[in-house]
Amino acid sequence: MNMNKLDPILEKNLRNANPWWQSTALPPIFPFKRWAFAPTLKRLKNGMTPVVALRGPRQVGKSTIAQQIIQQLLMSGVPNNHILHILFEDLPHFTALQQPILDISYWFEQYILGKTFNTVAYEGQKVYLFFDELQNIPHWAPQLKYLVDLNAVRVMITGSSALQIEIGQDSLAGRLSTIEMGTLFLREIAALRGFGDIPSFLPNNGFSQLKQQYFWQELRNFGLQHQKIRQTTFAAFSERGAYPIAHLYAETPWEEMADQLNETIIRRVIQHDSRMGEKHRDEQLLEEVFRLSCRYIGQTPQITLFIDEIKRILNAQIDWQKTLNYLNFLASTLLLRLIEPLELRLKRRTAKLCLC
């Protein structure tokens, strides 16, 4: 039966992107593992939900973690034909498919796996599907819901849009758990730069300890114990930020690195992601809102300050609601965060800005 045939070019691209199907060597994978590697692998293999979503800004290592997990699964004995990986940004031909997630999954089931997903489950094994940068697929959540409701598969998805993942989370209630990974922690910068090892002091989901006095006493001693490494690391963070590439290439002059970050992250969000959803976002206004956000990062700028500055630079009439919509869009791309006041009496104030 040829029920699930794909375009020949798309099929070739899929086979090239999954070299383990032919038992050929994987491309070299960066060995440093970010903090999210272990919890993502644990949830993917044995989590309560069939889908785990790893979301975060562009260029923080989400795709690298997916590749590292695939490598780990293969090394642990998972059969080569039980793993499918798709990076949706790299496959233009999938746009011709009406239901790309379902079409490619069922093609994989028929031509690579050679048996149904559920048959594999009855045999006591698992099939792992990796959908990278899934926010680029229209109506991805209903497709994924249909797939995991009818088939025993384990799925990892990644995305650079918090908004799109949250929309999917509503549709996939009870089927999806989310791990959010931002830029590097200080301890990760220390390890990456070779300054030394600073172990994690607070375990995952360990917030109950914050109510205990002994926690803060031990934290103080922990801070003194690692003071020298922490200060060296913070100096590196202050100089180059926390995007992994800035510390992987620590010898690269900052001016060159800044151009690279601007091109691969900021411009990508403004020129590409801004076209998703709302059809008529003004790129110039979006860029100016982000520039002002960078200027007042860590502060709570007044509304009038934002509006007056934008009007002066763009020589246009811009109201606060539109500016706020653009700030919320930038937050949805995880490029920055809007931190709302905790106190009720301050709720009407502008959110504090935090750059990711």
Side-chain angles (χ1 to χ4, degrees), residues 184-341:
L184 294 172
F185 289 157
L186 283 181
R187 68 172 186 266
E188 293 179 302
I189 296 176
L192 200 56
R193 296 286 295 269
F195 297 149
D197 181 42
I198 304 178
S200 174
F201 188 77
L202 185 67
N204 288 332
N205 299 322
F207 294 111
S208 61
Q209 298 182 32
L210 300 180
K211 298 183 291 184
Q212 307 300 325
Q213 182 179 0
Y214 74 85
F215 170 84
W216 299 101
Q217 294 169 337
E218 293 179 1
L219 178 61
R220 180 180 182 276
N221 295 330
F222 180 85
L224 292 173
Q225 179 185 350
H226 298 91
Q227 182 177 11
K228 184 176 180 180
I229 298 175
R230 188 183 68 250
Q231 290 178 341
T232 302
T233 304
F234 192 81
F237 162 74
S238 300
E239 179 183 347
R240 300 183 71 84
Y243 277 97
I245 191 173
H247 296 280
L248 281 172
Y249 298 93
E251 301 304 318
T252 300
W254 175 247
E255 292 76 11
E256 183 179 341
M257 181 58 63
D259 287 342
Q260 175 72 11
L261 293 173
N262 185 53
E263 181 65 29
T264 59
I265 301 171
I266 299 169
R267 301 303 307 171
R268 183 71 173 166
V269 166
I270 291 174
Q271 295 179 350
H272 177 268
D273 294 353
S274 65
R275 300 191 186 104
M276 299 172 59
E278 186 180 331
K279 295 181 179 180
H280 302 294
R281 286 194 184 94
D282 185 333
E283 287 186 13
Q284 189 178 9
L285 175 58
L286 186 60
E287 185 172 350
E288 191 57 37
V289 170
F290 180 70
R291 188 186 66 81
L292 283 174
S293 299
C294 292
R295 177 185 296 179
Y296 297 106
I297 215 67
Q299 304 179 43
T300 309
Q302 294 295 319
I303 293 174
T304 53
L305 186 149
F306 249 86
I307 297 298
D308 292 345
E309 187 75 5
I310 291 174
K311 286 181 178 179
R312 182 183 64 81
I313 294 174
L314 298 183
N315 193 26
Q317 291 298 316
I318 304 295
D319 60 42
W320 172 243
Q321 187 57 53
K322 187 169 186 177
T323 303
L324 183 60
N325 289 341
Y326 278 42
L327 280 169
N328 287 329
F329 167 75
L330 289 169
S332 77
T333 67
L334 303 171
L335 200 57
L336 56 77
R337 294 180 185 273
L338 303 177
I339 303 176
E340 299 292 342

Side-chain angles (χ1 to χ4, degrees), residues 94-114:
F94 73 79
T95 55
L97 301 175
Q98 290 186 345
Q99 303 177 109
I101 293 173
L102 293 175
D103 291 342
I104 294 175
S105 296
Y106 288 133
W107 171 87
F108 167 77
E109 180 185 57
Q110 181 174 350
Y111 294 100
I112 304 299
L113 188 61

Side-chain angles (χ1 to χ4, degrees), residues 32-185:
F32 178 79
K33 292 180 173 63
R34 293 209 54 195
W35 69 268
F37 170 83
T40 304
L41 176 60
K42 181 179 179 180
R43 291 194 198 182
L44 178 65
K45 294 177 67 175
N46 300 304
M48 293 182 289
T49 61
V51 184
V52 56
L54 180 62
R55 73 181 190 185
R58 292 180 177 275
Q59 300 293 314
V60 296
K62 302 183 299 297
S63 296
T64 298
I65 285 182
Q67 294 167 356
Q68 291 170 336
I69 288 177
I70 290 171
Q71 184 181 57
Q72 181 69 30
L73 292 173
L74 292 170
M75 292 174 59
S76 68
V78 173
N80 295 7
N81 65 336
H82 284 207
I83 299 174
L84 166 67
H85 178 233
I86 309 171
L87 180 54
F88 281 105
E89 280 194 321
D90 286 352
L91 291 175
H93 287 83
F94 73 79
T95 55
L97 301 175
Q98 290 186 345
Q99 303 177 109
I101 293 173
L102 293 175
D103 291 342
I104 294 175
S105 296
Y106 288 133
W107 171 87
F108 167 77
E109 180 185 57
Q110 181 174 350
Y111 294 100
I112 304 299
L113 188 61
K115 57 184 76 173
T116 68
F117 294 130
N118 293 331
T119 298
V120 174
Y122 277 116
E123 293 173 349
Q125 297 181 310
K126 296 177 181 177
V127 175
Y128 297 94
L129 309 179
F130 294 81
F131 300 132
D132 219 342
E133 294 298 343
L134 194 65
Q135 79 273 356
N136 293 306
I137 300 296
H139 313 297
W140 62 268
Q143 295 179 62
L144 195 54
K145 178 178 182 293
Y146 184 88
L147 180 66
V148 299
D149 280 354
L150 297 182
N151 302 276
V153 291
R154 306 297 296 181
V155 181
M156 175 183 171
I157 67 174
T158 71
S160 303
S161 171
L163 181 60
Q164 294 296 326
I165 298 296
E166 286 173 4
I167 292 172
Q169 197 166 11
D170 291 339
S171 302
L172 291 162
R175 303 168 182 85
L176 179 146
S177 63
T178 302
I179 295 175
E180 187 164 314
M181 181 177 70
T183 50
L184 294 172
F185 289 157

